[in-house]
Every structure is written in C-alpha cells, then in structure tokens.
Amino acid sequence: MNDSGPSPELGRIVLIKKGRDQGQFGIIVELVDDRFVGIANGDTRKVDRVKRKNLNHLELVDYIADEVRNSFVETGRVTNGKLRYAITNFLEQHSDLLKEGE
C-alpha cells in the first residue's frame, strides 16, 4: 500500500511539508482514514482543535513519542503539555534533523 516508510499511527512525529504550519513538527493524535490524520502540537495547535492533514502533506518521521502513545492506550486522550514535552524531547534528541532543513 505505501512505500515501506513509517506508517501513520498515534504518537508519531510528523514534519509538516505544506500549509500555514510548513516546517513545523506535530504529532498524530487522530487517524481519520487512509489519507488523512489529525495532528496537534500542544502549543499553536491544541488537542481540542486538531488540524486535519492529508498524509501527502506530511513527512512521517521514524519516531513515535512513547509518552503520547501510552497516554492514548491508558486514557484514550493526551494533554497539550504532553504533546509539547514530546516534541521538545524529540527535537533535543534529533537536533541534527533541524540543521538539515536549513
């Protein structure tokens, strides 16, 4: 079905390639269908106002924020703070990714 890259799943970090938020990172918090997902970052895009994005406009990063996925498994939801923490944590671990894009 897809080109053996990372699959869209809850807690996966994505890089937004198109749209107003281009160049920013988000986390998949909702699987809409096989073409769309809901993303949020806990800051400019809160969990209660998830942005629906076409998967073609996102670059799926080969990284899943365990704390976000575990939160969905345990409670069925995630907090904005947890999303912010997960993105900050990811960026600290993968600061090399930021330098590539410049």
Side-chain angles (χ1 to χ4, degrees):
M1 182 178 111
N2 60 8
D3 48 349
S4 72
S7 61
E9 54 186 292
L10 294 176
R12 179 166 309 278
I13 302 268
V14 296
L15 176 61
I16 301 164
K17 295 192 300 187
K18 293 225 169 34
R20 193 172 59 123
D21 297 332
Q22 182 174 352
Q24 295 179 12
F25 287 94
I27 298 180
I28 297 177
V29 294
E30 179 182 33
L31 300 171
V32 179
D33 56 30
D34 57 355
R35 282 191 45 225
F36 290 94
V37 293
I39 62 169
N41 64 15
D43 184 21
T44 55
R45 181 59 65 181
K46 304 278 198 232
V47 175
D48 57 354
R49 292 192 49 238
V50 171
K51 176 67 179 164
R52 199 175 133 184
K53 292 292 278 185
N54 186 324
L55 282 169
N56 294 335
H57 297 171
L58 299 173
E59 182 180 320
L60 299 178
V61 178
D62 194 10
Y63 179 90
I64 293 180
D66 290 330
E67 59 272 20
V68 173
R69 187 168 56 183
N70 293 343
S71 181
F72 275 114
V73 169
E74 291 164 14
T75 65
R77 57 186 289 274
V78 67
T79 64
N80 290 314
K82 204 162 272 190
L83 291 176
R84 287 192 302 271
Y85 171 79
I87 290 176
T88 302
N89 205 14
F90 164 76
L91 293 176
E92 284 172 1
Q93 290 178 26
H94 298 84
S95 56
D96 52 319
L97 287 178
L98 293 179
K99 293 181 183 76
E100 279 177 22
E102 290 176 1

